[in-house]
Amino acid sequence: MGLRIGSVVINCDDFETTIAFWQQALGYQVRRTAEGDFAILHDPTGRSPNLSVQDTDELKFGRNRTHLDLYATDQKAEVDRLVRLGATVKRLPDPGEDYVILADPEGKVFCVIQAAAAESKDEP
C-alpha cells in the first residue's frame, strides 16, 4: 500500500498556546510555515506521525469526530504531567476501562491509555 498517516491536524483559536501545549506534551519539534497560521510538529525519532496545528475561527468543541489516543507507559504520571501543562481531566475511567479523557487548553478532547492495555487490543 502506498499510503501512511503523515500528519493529524488540530484546529485552534489560540495558535501559540496550542503549539506550546502539544510540543511539550509529545516532545515534538516545531516547523512553522511562512504564513504563521499553520505549524507542523514532528517526532524527532521519526517513529510517529506529525501533529499539525492550524489557526482557525471555526472551532468545534465537545465530542470530536476525531481525537488522539496517546499511549502511556505510566498513565497516571502522564495524566498528571499533562494537567500541569494545561490539560483538564474530562472523565476518569469507569471500571474495566483503560483510558482517561482529557482536554487540551482550548477544550479539544484526547485520551491517555495505559500502553500495555492498548497494545494488547491492537493485536489481531
Side-chain angles (χ1 to χ4, degrees), residues 14-42:
D14 188 339
F15 190 63
E16 296 301 325
T17 298
T18 302
I19 290 171
F21 175 80
W22 287 109
Q23 180 183 16
Q24 292 174 43
L26 300 173
Y28 277 23
Q29 297 172 344
V30 179
R31 290 187 302 208
R32 293 182 188 254
T33 62
E35 295 84 34
D37 62 352
F38 189 86
I40 300 171
L41 287 73
H42 68 278

Side-chain angles (χ1 to χ4, degrees), residues 75 93-100 112-121:
Q75 182 187 53
D94 288 332
E97 294 178 339
D98 61 358
Y99 59 91
V100 176
V112 178
I113 302 167
Q114 184 61 43
E119 290 164 357
S120 68
K121 290 180 182 176

Side-chain angles (χ1 to χ4, degrees), residues 43-60:
D43 177 0
T45 68
R47 293 184 302 206
S48 297
N50 295 324
L51 181 69
S52 298
V53 177
Q54 181 174 358
D55 193 17
T56 182
D57 294 334
E58 299 175 25
L59 295 178
K60 294 181 181 175

Side-chain angles (χ1 to χ4, degrees), residues 46 64 91 100-101 109 116:
N64 301 338
R91 187 165 83 73
V100 176
I101 301 174
V109 298

